[in-house]
Amino acid sequence: LRKYQAAITKSLEEIRGKGYCVSNGELRREVHAVGVPMRRTIDGEILTFNCGVPAFVLKKGQLEEDLGPRLVAMVRNIEAALGIH
């Protein structure tokens, strides 16, 4: 866990600021991803949604400018449908 502490801290800051966090190949260099947590637990569980993309098909900035915001919007729509605010 200590080895990933800096990445965890960075991800939590990204979530607080933008609603999502990105992984630019930190765990597997060929896979980049964006993740969004729901703002409330469901039956005590933290639910997260993510989208992983092979690095070779990603365009520069695509995670931050397109996929991240779209995934946040999708999760917020799900929260609204479930009555979670």
Side-chain angles (χ1 to χ4, degrees), residues 9-10 14 18-19 29-31 36-37 40 53 57-58 64 68-69 74-76 82:
T9 299
K10 176 183 168 278
E14 289 177 338
K18 301 182 279 190
R29 71 176 184 268
E30 69 274 10
V31 178
V36 177
R40 302 225 196 247
V53 181
V57 299
L58 265 180
E64 297 83 356
M74 183 195 82
V75 173
R76 298 302 171 252
L82 294 172

Side-chain angles (χ1 to χ4, degrees), residues 12-79:
L12 291 172
E13 290 171 3
E14 289 177 338
I15 289 167
R16 283 187 203 104
K18 301 182 279 190
Y20 64 89
C21 64
V22 297
S23 170
N24 289 303
E26 286 88 359
L27 293 177
R28 294 185 62 177
R29 71 176 184 268
E30 69 274 10
V31 178
H32 293 217
V34 61
V36 177
M38 289 186 75
R39 292 181 285 194
R40 302 225 196 247
T41 60
I42 303 290
D43 294 330
E45 299 289 331
I46 298 171
L47 301 179
T48 62
F49 296 78
N50 67 74
C51 176
V53 181
F56 71 90
V57 299
L58 265 180
K59 295 179 181 127
K60 185 172 173 65
Q62 190 173 6
L63 289 177
E64 297 83 356
E65 297 166 15
D66 182 28
L67 298 176
R70 287 173 59 191
L71 192 59
V72 169
M74 183 195 82
V75 173
R76 298 302 171 252
N77 285 334
I78 292 169
E79 290 173 337

